[in-house]
Amino acid sequence: LPLLLLGTTVTASPAKPHSTVVHLTTSNFETTVITDPNNPLWLLKFFAPWCGHCTALAPTLDKAAARLSGKLAIGKIDCTVEKQLCKGRFDVKGYPTLKYYRDGEFSDYPLGRDLDSIVKFGEKMSQNAVEVVRDVSEVYERLVGGEKGAVAYVVYDPIEIDQQEADATTEDDDENESDSSEEEEATKFIQSTERTRIFGQIARKYQAHGSFGLLSPSIDKASIAKILGVGETNKLPSSAADGFIARIEEDVPTKFLTGDGITVDALAEFIRETNIAVMTELGGHNFRFASRRGKPLAIGVYNPEDEVKTLKFRKEMKQYAVSGEHKDAYVFGTMDGIKWDKFVSQFGITKAGLPEVFILDSPERTYWQDSSVLSVADFIRSVKAGEIESRLQEKKPKNPLEEFSQLFISYMPWSLFALLTLFVVVFWLALPSSDPILPPVPSVREEEEEQESKKDK
């Protein structure tokens, strides 16, 4: 009853931002999530009551909902009850599944499930998608590295702007460095050309997977070269003088999208193909995202307790990911072999053998592993040459009790009815008979013997 009342309240009067986790159902989902202008950004948890990870996540989401009120609303959907939502609409396959909603689209939540990560996600997604940057330091302070993420995109369009308007903007910034003035400036620049307008549109769509910046039109060419890290070995395309969009990552050559005919589809494709670090740290929050990019994963497993070997191994992995012979054939990542020991043990990897690299085609459940090949380059070369054969990943056997519990809850209330029926039948069979106890019926032989005995007497 309380849950139903909560759902009814949210549906009837979505008058203000939510500060608690909202119970969502099939009946209130549209009005609560889709059409409520006071809560345009949502984080949704699809869960099952028997799921231990779901239960552990609940207090974190309660705290996040209170801290992010007005920026990010949080909702939960019980998939053992709301099957039409979970299976029919969102094809949920595991618990908990986290998705976010904004601008009419649902997407997989890409960050960690700890409180800090969820709060940072909510704060980032509630801000302007594009920041205006004027020099090298601002790019690396505001866009790349640390909490911002490994990958950033910048747009440059050498438009002519009225100097007085530029001076007025500068004066406003000096007097009042508020978020609103920065957002107004960014909005003005984003709307200035077709290239920047397309960039702003796509930046909002992919804001969860990267940082986006607009290079001020007044920035000098020397600063642009430093920002992009261009030089003799990584030259700026000749067409970039008329404007460009670039992907930036520390210690990785810059990638450019140039030309006058940049379209929404072309930019979206460019970002989809490049919005993951050349070598990313893999975990529960991003493994699905990394493993569903149309390429197998090349995973370097390390032991964090051995800092010297780990540092050398990570450097070797990244060097191959940047310039190796088959760098474009894989998505490269590293993984903590101690934290994820149960996962990597499926592939024959042990703590004693770390660091080690293996290749996993997750959708096909196929992997390549050989502990005797130590070099990253040699291992990948051997895989490509067919010297290391593929193996099929075995499915992990399910705990029978856990599987029964999942099935029981999934088929409620019919499973409960069946169980009660079985209990009643067993109980009835166990009851003592209420019929009177009758003497056994004598056999024919016994009757004949009795008659002969009477005659003799």
Side-chain angles (χ1 to χ4, degrees):
L1 181 59
L3 293 181
L4 292 175
L5 289 174
L6 176 60
T8 304
T9 302
V10 171
T11 304
S13 56
K16 60 182 180 179
H18 299 294
S19 57
T20 58
V21 177
V22 181
H23 180 74
L24 298 171
T25 66
T26 303
S27 60
N28 73 6
F29 191 84
E30 291 293 324
T31 53
T32 306
V33 176
I34 309 296
T35 61
D36 181 5
N38 297 291
N39 297 280
L41 176 63
W42 281 83
L43 177 65
L44 305 173
K45 180 182 84 165
F46 297 84
F47 75 99
W50 47 258
C51 167
H53 292 296
C54 303
T55 303
L57 183 61
T60 300
L61 294 183
D62 288 337
K63 294 175 184 177
R67 290 178 58 175
L68 293 169
S69 179
K71 296 179 179 179
L72 172 72
I74 299 178
K76 61 180 180 180
I77 301 99
D78 183 347
C79 290
T80 64
V81 177
E82 307 301 334
K83 297 175 184 178
Q84 182 180 345
L85 273 177
C86 298
K87 297 295 184 182
R89 183 166 181 176
F90 293 104
D91 193 28
V92 174
K93 298 183 182 298
Y95 308 114
T97 290
L98 296 182
K99 293 181 179 290
Y100 70 92
Y101 169 83
R102 186 173 72 173
D103 298 341
E105 294 187 1
F106 295 90
S107 305
D108 291 333
Y109 169 73
L111 302 183
R113 297 179 177 184
D114 57 287
L115 181 60
D116 286 344
S117 296
I118 294 172
V119 170
K120 287 170 186 173
F121 174 80
E123 291 176 342
K124 175 183 178 179
M125 296 294 286
S126 63
Q127 296 172 355
N128 201 351
V130 181
E131 295 189 56
V132 177
V133 291
R134 297 178 179 79
D135 55 41
V136 179
S137 62
E138 285 193 349
V139 169
Y140 289 95
E141 286 175 5
R142 301 171 67 175
L143 298 180
V144 184
E147 298 177 356
K148 296 294 184 181
V151 177
Y153 298 88
V154 294
V155 61
Y156 173 71
D157 212 329
I159 60 171
E160 296 294 332
I161 61 173
D162 185 86
Q163 189 61 42
Q164 292 182 356
E165 184 177 327
D167 292 342
T169 301
T170 304
E171 289 173 6
D172 288 342
D173 290 342
D174 291 338
E175 294 174 3
N176 180 18
E177 294 181 306
S178 66
D179 291 340
S180 59
S181 63
E182 289 185 2
E183 290 183 6
E184 289 172 5
E185 180 186 26
T187 301
K188 182 191 71 173
F189 284 140
I190 283 295
Q191 297 301 321
S192 60
T193 72
E194 183 66 16
R195 179 184 282 109
T196 56
R197 280 193 292 273
I198 290 174
F199 184 82
Q201 180 180 341
I202 296 299
R204 183 169 174 82
K205 181 179 177 67
Y206 291 96
Q207 188 177 1
H209 295 286
S211 298
F212 297 84
L214 184 149
L215 301 183
S216 172
S218 59
I219 197 168
D220 60 86
K221 292 183 179 179
S223 294
I224 291 176
K226 288 181 180 179
I227 290 171
L228 301 178
V230 295
E232 290 300 319
T233 58
N234 183 31
K235 295 183 177 180
L236 187 70
S238 57
S239 58
D242 297 325
F244 60 82
I245 293 170
R247 175 197 183 275
I248 301 173
E249 182 181 354
E250 284 191 278
D251 302 322
V252 174
T254 302
K255 294 184 178 181
F256 295 94
L257 183 64
T258 61
D260 294 330
I262 293 177
T263 64
V264 170
D265 290 342
L267 179 54
E269 182 65 22
F270 176 68
I271 291 176
R272 277 197 298 268
E273 290 180 355
T274 62
N275 66 349
I276 188 170
V278 164
M279 187 180 77
T280 189
E281 180 68 15
L282 296 170
H285 65 286
N286 66 356
F287 187 84
R288 180 179 173 83
F289 174 73
S291 63
R292 298 294 194 275
R293 299 182 66 84
K295 299 177 183 179
L297 286 171
I299 305 175
V301 187
Y302 63 89
N303 181 355
E305 298 168 1
D306 192 334
E307 295 182 3
V308 176
K309 279 187 177 180
T310 294
L311 183 63
K312 181 180 178 182
F313 179 67
R314 289 173 67 92
K315 185 177 180 180
E316 180 188 1
M317 279 285 295
K318 185 164 184 177
Q319 184 176 352
Y320 191 94
V322 171
S323 58
E325 180 183 1
H326 300 291
K327 62 182 177 62
D328 295 326
Y330 304 98
V331 174
F332 289 84
T334 52
M335 181 173 282
D336 184 334
I338 305 302
K339 182 178 181 180
W340 303 104
D341 61 324
K342 290 184 179 179
F343 173 76
V344 299
S345 65
Q346 302 176 77
F347 311 104
I349 295 174
T350 63
K351 179 180 177 180
L354 301 182
E356 182 178 342
V357 62
F358 75 102
I359 290 173
L360 172 65
D361 188 338
S362 187
E364 298 297 327
R365 302 187 64 82
T366 304
Y367 71 98
W368 292 257
Q369 183 267 340
D370 189 335
S371 301
S372 66
V373 184
L374 303 179
S375 161
V376 174
D378 289 344
F379 178 81
I380 293 178
R381 191 182 304 115
S382 298
V383 170
K384 283 294 186 182
E387 297 168 5
I388 298 176
E389 295 184 354
S390 64
R391 304 182 217 177
L392 190 63
Q393 180 185 356
E394 295 182 3
K395 289 188 177 181
K396 185 179 178 181
K398 290 185 177 180
N399 182 307
L401 184 60
E402 182 181 346
E403 189 171 6
F404 173 78
S405 176
Q406 292 180 16
L407 289 171
F408 183 81
I409 295 175
S410 297
Y411 286 97
M412 292 253 306
W414 305 112
S415 55
L416 181 60
F417 176 76
L419 184 63
L420 289 174
T421 302
L422 179 63
F423 176 78
V424 170
V425 171
V426 171
F427 181 77
W428 180 77
L429 291 174
L431 287 175
S433 175
S434 59
D435 295 333
I437 299 176
L438 301 175
V441 178
S443 64
V444 174
R445 183 180 182 84
E446 288 176 336
E447 289 181 351
E448 291 177 351
E449 290 177 351
E450 186 177 355
Q451 290 178 0
E452 289 179 358
S453 176
K454 288 179 179 179
K455 288 179 180 180
D456 294 337
K457 290 179 181 179

